[in-house]
Every structure is written in structure tokens, then in C-alpha cells.
Amino acid sequence: MADLDIRPAVADDIPAIVGMLADDPLGARRESPDDLTPYLAAWERLAADTNQHLVVAVREQRVVGTLQLTIVPGLSRRGSTRSVIEGVRVHADERGSGLGSRLIEWAIDMSRREGCQLVQLTSDATRTDAHRFYERLGFTASHVGFKLPL
């Protein structure tokens, strides 16, 4: 994987990122790759926030993976800072190549550099393959998550 570069996402990466977000049964129902306007607006907000790290994995000048890492200062756990990993996607051509592990390792390393004491993530209940992947990387299913659409 020496030919892989993990770097901050730029506006020109948004079509590739949205394409990966939409390339699964869940994403196909909730993403709109034909209208990039809301995604570009969201990227501008993310780029302006120092606690947000939207990154892409690039191989041979092609975006092949992405994730978002959010740094969350807090009072609980004796004032510890945690990070939240979201939106992990690997291009279909790259699945099984170890790229997902590399992205998560990057996020864990960045979390340490940011002074985090805990890394957390959520995964849709239907993504059983993803659950096994995260468990292999040392994550434990320690909590039950809840969401409220607004």
C-alpha cells in the first residue's frame, strides 16, 4: 500500500466521495449524487472546522476511499476528548485490499495526535460485515445507539 496517499479532501473530491456514499443499499436510498450542491456546502462547513477531518485515500490519482473523523472535547471521563469515525467508504474495486484497515489506522493515529482518549463509531445494524471488520480492528460493541430524524 506504499502507493496510497491519505490526505484532506478538497472540493474536487466531492463527486467521488458522494459516489462511494451512494454505492451500497443504504446509501442508494439516502444520497443524491446527481445534485452535489448540499455536499459542497457541507464540505465548506467541514473545511472551516478544525475539529473535522474529512480525508480521502488516493491511489494513482484516483479517490478510492474516504472517512470523516470528528474530534469531540468533553467533560465526561474526567474531561477526556474523544473522536468519532463516520462515513467510512472504500471503492468497490478496492474492497478486501486492506484499504479499510489503513483508513481506520489513520483515524486512530490522528486521534492520538489530537489527544483523544477514546475512538468511537457507529455502524448501521444491518451492516454485519462492517461489524466483523471493526471487531477485528479491536473495537467492541459496547453501547446501543439511538437516532432521531429531524
Side-chain angles (χ1 to χ4, degrees):
M1 290 243 164
D3 62 336
L4 185 74
D5 182 31
I6 298 175
R7 62 161 173 77
V10 297
D12 287 344
D13 297 325
I14 299 305
I17 294 170
V18 174
M20 286 185 289
L21 292 172
D23 186 28
D24 69 35
L26 292 173
R29 291 194 315 253
R30 61 185 179 204
E31 306 299 342
S32 302
D34 54 325
D35 179 12
L36 296 178
T37 304
Y39 300 100
L40 289 167
W43 173 81
E44 288 179 6
R45 290 191 309 272
L46 292 168
D49 184 342
T50 59
N51 284 325
Q52 301 295 331
H53 302 277
L54 178 63
V55 299
V56 290
V58 179
R59 184 188 320 281
E60 298 176 3
Q61 301 176 15
R62 181 174 159 246
V63 173
V64 293
T66 188
L67 68 70
Q68 178 179 336
L69 181 70
T70 300
I71 308 303
V72 183
L75 289 177
S76 67
R77 294 178 178 248
R78 301 178 51 89
S80 67
T81 299
R82 66 185 67 207
S83 65
V84 180
I85 299 172
E86 299 203 27
V88 179
R89 295 294 188 282
V90 171
H91 193 280
D93 296 349
E94 295 276 336
R95 292 183 189 139
S97 71
L99 175 57
S101 295
R102 282 283 306 276
L103 281 166
I104 297 299
E105 289 166 6
W106 177 91
I108 293 168
D109 290 344
M110 176 59 82
S111 297
R112 285 189 179 109
R113 288 192 299 274
E114 291 279 352
C116 296
Q117 290 77 41
L118 180 72
V119 179
Q120 63 188 40
L121 56 83
T122 61
S123 179
D124 190 275
T126 63
R127 295 186 191 270
T128 55
D129 289 342
H131 303 166
R132 285 190 295 274
F133 167 73
Y134 294 126
E135 288 169 350
R136 278 196 312 270
L137 294 174
F139 289 83
T140 58
S142 61
H143 289 68
V144 174
F146 297 89
K147 292 186 179 185
L148 175 67
L150 301 177

